[in-house]
């Protein structure tokens, strides 16, 4: 009985090592792909002057609630960036043609923390009310 137990442990240990190695390799590949995608998306956003958060869908309940809780300055800036991007797209121009010295922070987060809090609140609410189903 004892040798079978040890062989079981060795087999499980080998599987765990293989799984960990596969996970590490997957994380490295995904990290590299994410950096490449982020740089490509950043370049695309820089041509229009948008931020990543400006691309979030207002039709989602969490996003619309976070926008309703946001400061008026945040909403005004978002609206102006979107209108400017639409205008530049219509004219087929880049933001760098009009404002070459403008410093952009495409990945600045102003509402996403609120979105995460709202999602965790909804998840907690669902877990607390799971017994009602």
């Amino acid at each position: 009985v004892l040798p079978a137990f040890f062989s079981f442990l060795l087999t499980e240990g080998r599987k765990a090592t293989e799984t960990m190695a596969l996970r590490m390799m997957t994380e490295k590949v995904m990290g590299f792909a994410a950096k490449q995608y982020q740089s490509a998306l950043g370049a695309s956003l820089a041509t229009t002057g948008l931020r990543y958060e400006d691309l979030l869908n207002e039709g989602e309940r969490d996003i619309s609630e976070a926008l309703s809780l946001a400061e008026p300055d945040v909403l005004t800036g978002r609206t102006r960036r979107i209108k400017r991007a639409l205008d530049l797209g219509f004219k087929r121009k880049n933001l760098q043609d009009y404002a070459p010295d403008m410093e952009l922070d495409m990945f600045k987060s102003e509402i996403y923390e609120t979105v995460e809090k709202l999602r965790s609140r909804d998840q907690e609410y669902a877990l607390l009310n799971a017994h009602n189903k």
Side-chain angles (χ1 to χ4, degrees):
V1 170
L2 222 42
F5 179 70
F6 285 126
S7 67
F8 172 75
L9 286 178
L10 288 174
T11 305
E12 289 300 313
R14 194 174 310 133
K15 287 181 184 176
T17 304
E18 290 172 359
T19 304
M20 188 178 356
L22 183 62
R23 186 180 327 129
M24 288 175 57
M25 188 173 74
T26 304
E27 287 175 359
K28 285 188 179 194
V29 169
M30 291 302 289
F32 177 75
K35 292 237 185 250
Q36 294 296 318
Y37 176 73
Q38 187 177 16
S39 65
L41 182 64
S44 177
L45 290 173
T47 61
T48 58
L50 287 172
R51 290 186 183 162
Y52 181 74
E53 284 189 342
D54 297 336
L55 303 178
L56 297 176
N57 185 3
E58 292 180 23
E60 291 184 27
R61 192 176 56 79
D62 298 334
I63 306 297
S64 63
E65 188 174 354
L67 287 173
S68 69
L69 295 173
E71 296 290 324
D73 294 341
V74 173
L75 295 176
T76 303
R78 184 175 196 268
T79 304
R80 287 180 181 173
R81 285 189 301 272
I82 291 172
K83 286 182 179 180
R84 179 179 60 210
L86 289 171
D87 185 52
L88 290 172
F90 179 74
K91 294 177 181 177
R92 298 183 185 201
K93 298 282 185 175
N94 290 337
L95 180 64
Q96 301 304 320
D97 296 340
Y98 293 103
D101 298 333
M102 185 179 222
E103 291 185 25
L104 302 172
D105 187 10
M106 283 81 57
F107 297 103
K108 182 178 179 182
S109 178
E110 292 179 330
I111 64 166
Y112 202 72
E113 291 177 14
T114 308
V115 171
E116 288 177 340
K117 288 178 186 178
L118 292 171
R119 286 181 180 165
S120 64
R121 179 202 66 190
D122 292 344
Q123 184 181 16
E124 181 181 359
Y125 183 77
L127 287 173
L128 290 173
N129 290 320
H131 69 282
N132 289 336
K133 291 183 179 181

